[in-house]
Amino acid sequence: MTHDMVRPGGRTARVREAVLRAAGDLLAEGGLDHLDLGEVARRAEVGRTTVYRRWGTPAVLVADLLAEMAETSLPRTETGSLLGDLTANARLVQRTLADPRQGALFKALIAAATCDARTAEALHRFYEIRIDEWAPCVAAAVERGELPAGTDAREVVRAVSAPLYYRLLASGDPVDEAAADRAARAAVAAATAGAYGPTRC
Amino acid sequence: MTHDMVRPGGRTARVREAVLRAAGDLLAEGGLDHLDLGEVARRAEVGRTTVYRRWGTPAVLVADLLAEMAETSLPRTETGSLLGDLTANARLVQRTLADPRQGALFKALIAAATCDARTAEALHRFYEIRIDEWAPCVAAAVERGELPAGTDAREVVRAVSAPLYYRLLASGDPVDEAAADRAARAAVAAATAGAYGPTRC
């Protein structure tokens, strides 16, 4: 192990950053079919051997990109109210999906996950981490008595993102700020009414 | 124009049905990359020339498959209550997405739409038709006074499907009946609270 490999800001970290940046650009431009490791090396200005030795296949590279995206995602915003917090979450997701590069990248990652189990696993892990990051704002609302006891915090967070992804991937309706704000309002209303509480038998 | 071409149950219709069935099978098995027109012809037991002349490219074939899926989708169920109707809708979507062939087919169609504009247009049209089919149950609930005037019926229908597609495509959580029933309950609760009403300024 070289000295660089244990220093976070060292050459190894810089190489990873450049390679994942190039991989993300290629995915956003043309999807998984476009993700050629030689081209990644060229764009990242890194030796081909380094890229092939460290990542080996496009699927491994995509999984590492998703891991990095989870690591570097923004922490949640704390506004003091559930509607404020979930609106902040919805707008963050909306801005990401509406951004030309990021939106195309997410489409490519989701498409890649439909036909590769390893990519699907990395994608699910990414959402698991993001949901874990935001779930405490729902738990806090339960503690404040804004939501019924037993509310499934993670399901409320999923409910905020779901309408935005449905528009992006299925119906094609615009992923705009109005859709984000409505997603947050709907999740709060449904949670308040107990729709994410323990299932009644 | 031959006699067959104007008779719905005729040879032309039978050829289309066989070809689209084979196309759907290939998409479900291996995604768009798997959709070879020669293989479609072989499986459908139809001449290659017929397939190439009538559909020409995989994108045209996928668009025709989506058109047929919209044409042959089930009509909405009328149960007399909004929760009953939307639960029927949610369970129909859930059974479709959880079915091995249908679920894989939808994943393949959505993945194909991320990298082809024509397929995306056909996919959006499919959802537009399905949303139009179910929106009247929400409009009827508004008429009965169950929901606030000005409720966006199509947005309520989108809200029922969204959590199921989010699970299928993004988070990887199970697309089960509990998720379907929760999606319907949440949509009703949010709509009742006015979350899909005219936006407040």
Side-chain angles (χ1 to χ4, degrees):
Chain A
M1 186 181 281
T2 69
H3 186 70
D4 275 342
M5 281 185 82
V6 292
R7 191 152 45 89
R11 205 186 85 85
T12 301
R14 286 198 310 275
V15 164
R16 182 181 182 227
E17 196 187 329
V19 165
L20 296 183
R21 178 84 203 169
D25 288 345
L26 285 164
L27 280 167
E29 284 165 28
L32 188 63
D33 291 347
H34 214 65
L35 190 63
D36 175 74
L37 264 57
E39 178 64 12
V40 168
R42 199 189 61 75
R43 290 213 191 178
E45 299 179 7
V46 165
R48 292 170 66 100
T49 315
T50 304
V51 173
Y52 280 98
R53 196 163 46 204
R54 185 144 165 210
W55 288 278
T57 69
V60 173
L61 190 51
V62 169
D64 197 31
L65 175 61
L66 279 159
E68 192 214 33
M69 286 165 64
E71 287 159 22
T72 59
S73 282
L74 292 172
R76 72 191 161 93
T77 313
E78 300 192 54
T79 67
S81 83
L82 180 64
L83 182 61
D85 290 356
L86 294 185
T87 300
N89 176 241
R91 289 190 180 181
L92 176 62
V93 172
Q94 181 264 320
R95 281 194 305 271
T96 302
L97 300 184
D99 176 79
R101 179 185 185 271
Q102 293 276 92
L105 176 57
F106 272 89
K107 280 184 175 181
L109 290 166
I110 288 166
T114 64
C115 50
D116 181 75
R118 183 165 193 163
T119 303
E121 202 182 299
L123 186 74
H124 301 159
R125 179 80 189 120
F126 169 81
Y127 287 108
E128 197 183 356
I129 290 169
R130 295 308 294 156
I131 293 165
D132 283 345
E133 172 65 27
W134 283 87
C137 77
V138 181
V142 174
E143 297 242 327
R144 288 194 301 267
E146 285 183 53
L147 293 182
T151 296
D152 182 340
R154 307 181 84 255
E155 190 61 17
V156 177
V157 177
R158 285 187 200 100
V160 174
S161 283
L164 304 173
Y165 278 87
Y166 181 77
R167 286 168 167 259
L168 182 78
L169 298 164
S171 73
D173 297 289
V175 184
D176 53 19
E177 202 169 83
D181 291 358
R182 196 167 44 232
R185 280 203 310 276
V188 171
T192 304
Y196 303 114
T199 311
R200 288 148 294 180
C201 296
Chain B
M1 188 181 279
T2 70
H3 185 71
D4 274 344
M5 282 184 81
V6 292
R7 190 152 46 89
R11 204 188 85 85
T12 301
R14 285 198 310 278
V15 164
R16 181 180 182 228
E17 195 186 329
V19 165
L20 296 182
R21 179 84 202 168
D25 287 347
L26 285 165
L27 280 167
E29 284 165 26
L32 189 63
D33 291 347
H34 214 64
L35 190 63
D36 174 74
L37 263 57
E39 178 63 12
V40 168
R42 199 189 62 74
R43 291 215 192 176
E45 299 180 7
V46 165
R48 292 170 65 101
T49 315
T50 303
V51 173
Y52 280 98
R53 195 162 46 202
R54 185 145 164 208
W55 287 277
T57 69
V60 173
L61 190 51
V62 169
D64 197 33
L65 174 61
L66 278 160
E68 192 214 32
M69 286 165 65
E71 287 158 22
T72 59
S73 282
L74 293 172
R76 72 191 161 94
T77 314
E78 299 192 55
T79 67
S81 83
L82 180 64
L83 182 61
D85 290 356
L86 294 184
T87 300
N89 176 239
R91 288 190 180 180
L92 176 61
V93 172
Q94 180 264 321
R95 282 195 305 273
T96 303
L97 300 184
D99 176 78
R101 179 185 185 271
Q102 292 276 92
L105 176 57
F106 272 90
K107 279 184 176 182
L109 290 167
I110 287 166
T114 64
C115 51
D116 181 75
R118 184 166 192 161
T119 304
E121 202 182 299
L123 187 74
H124 301 160
R125 179 82 188 118
F126 169 81
Y127 288 108
E128 196 182 356
I129 291 168
R130 294 309 294 156
I131 293 165
D132 283 345
E133 172 64 27
W134 284 85
C137 77
V138 181
V142 174
E143 297 241 326
R144 288 194 302 267
E146 284 184 53
L147 293 182
T151 297
D152 182 340
R154 308 182 83 254
E155 191 61 17
V156 177
V157 176
R158 285 187 201 102
V160 174
S161 282
L164 304 172
Y165 278 87
Y166 181 76
R167 287 168 167 258
L168 181 78
L169 299 164
S171 73
D173 297 289
V175 184
D176 53 19
E177 202 170 84
D181 291 358
R182 196 167 44 232
R185 279 203 311 275
V188 171
T192 304
Y196 303 114
T199 312
R200 288 149 295 180
C201 298

